[in-house]
Amino acid sequence: MPDLGPRFDELLRRLGEISDLEQASSLLSWDEETKMPPLGAPARAEQLATLARLAHELGTAPELGALLEELRGVEEVLAAESFEASVVRVARRDYEKKRRVPSELRAEMTRAGSLGYRAWLDAREASDFGILRPHLERRIELMHRYVACHEPYDDAYDVLLDDHEPGMRTADVESVFARLKAELVPLVAAVEPVDDSCVHGDFPAERQREFSLEVLHRWGMDDRAWRLDDTVHPFSSNISVSDIRITARFDREDLTGILSCLHEFGHGLYERQVDAQYTRTPLQAGASSSFHESQSRLWENVVGRRPSTWRFFYPRLRELLPAEFGAVALEDFLRALNRVAPSVRRVDADEVTYPLHIVLRFELERAMLAGDVTPAELPEAFDAKLREYLGVEPENVVEGVLQDVHWSDSNFGYFPTYAIGSVIAVQLWGRATSELGDLDAQFAGGEFAFLREWLRENVHRWGRVFEPPELLERVVGGPLDPGPYLAYLGEKVAALSR
Ligand code: ZN
């Protein structure tokens, strides 16, 4: 065993400072999307750019590289999953990756992302894609410079994907998506939509919020460590393992705000249950975006649309909204909640059509990166794919290409992780139920702790110790496999016609 003492402490000190700057950025971004008045945008873009540049400089400092070199021996003598070996390994990977990108470019990407976000809001307000277009052109130009920093690569998109999904290649996504598309397009075309009028109406936002909070508290949200705030595009943000911020948008006309709360809870829970020892180190986060989405989609869909779950919660929803649900039977409510019907908006999509929204965005991102679709051509290309895969037509650009925030800020390469995450969610669910037995009986009795603790033990507590393919292998005993997910979706559709 080498003498880690002072050198490892010095490494933790440096990594702690980087983490502090990154978490401070998260807090500024959270504020930007929840509280900041619009005219704060230009100054906020500068503040975020400065923090990003400082974090980048600390994260690429030659002294840090030298320290990581000196600590190489740690990985040979300590178990790979030990705290020390994991910190050194993950910090080195981050260091080597960051070193490829000049801090000026990093700061410029952050600034452009922040200004792009504001332009996206303005474009939506004015229903005018032209407001966002120059920002998108700028983003793509910066993305090319960013990708060029990572040569050689097999596929330019690999570089963007790796930021969200370490170890995954564009070709892996393509093969999973080809199978999803081949099976889901005909499945969706054959589904007869059920009557879901009971989940459309006028549901006061305050009642929806109250109900959502009751569900989340029952699932494990603790007010000493969590907050729920309003935003335009819901997200979750962790400032630390005990400062979890989730956001929501409750629209009066339907219950999608509740489901998106359940989604963000999954993200928050993941960060909340990371081993507290990893605080202020690079291990203090989920394994990847797909693993994150596996958690959000597990709680939103696999648990959140489940009959047993609603056997417990539906009476309370009825109490809060008696005029709307007093006369609606649980079975009818569940059929409406699990309705399958193509729609224009991704975030409102049912579980079966959802992956097709992702496939089309993945294809468009690749086309934009390759220059096959220019930002000016994007609105029409977007609508064309919606028509082709889902047979629907947006009424305007706000409903169409401007519906998602991702292309305005810095999230190219993120979309695939929603669908990959859904695949992982069902694999994890299969494993959890084989180990924990009848979770439906527990859910119907309001007991969700067994699943939550199983996820903590097997997935959450490990943070970034394992790369996604290794973590998946450890938990489910096999690689990424869309088979169980497709079977699960097939069963969903079959249940609707019974
Ligand atoms: Zn999510």
Side-chain angles (χ1 to χ4, degrees), residues 158 161 167-178 420 480:
D158 284 349
L161 191 61
M168 185 167 280
R169 294 284 166 269
T170 309
D172 304 327
V173 177
E174 270 180 330
S175 91
V176 170
F177 282 12
I420 301 292
L480 186 70

Side-chain angles (χ1 to χ4, degrees), residues 234-236 263-264 267 289 292-294 296-297 300 346 354 414 418:
F235 64 99
S236 88
H263 179 99
E264 301 308 334
H267 286 302
S289 302
H292 245 293
E293 291 302 332
S294 79
S296 52
R297 298 192 61 79
E300 175 194 1
R346 175 184 67 86
Y354 186 88
Y414 192 95
Y418 289 115

Side-chain angles (χ1 to χ4, degrees), residues 153-214:
Y153 45 75
D154 294 333
D155 186 313
Y157 195 83
D158 284 349
V159 175
L160 305 177
L161 191 61
D162 191 75
D163 286 347
H164 305 289
E165 206 51 34
M168 185 167 280
R169 294 284 166 269
T170 309
D172 304 327
V173 177
E174 270 180 330
S175 91
V176 170
F177 282 12
R179 199 164 153 205
L180 296 183
K181 200 158 104 176
E183 298 200 23
L184 293 181
V185 170
L187 186 65
V188 168
V191 172
E192 287 288 331
V194 301
D195 175 16
D196 73 339
S197 51
C198 69
V199 292
H200 295 275
D202 187 17
F203 313 111
E206 269 320 300
R207 291 291 165 87
Q208 294 194 50
R209 172 193 306 279
E210 189 180 347
F211 177 76
S212 300
L213 282 170
E214 285 187 25

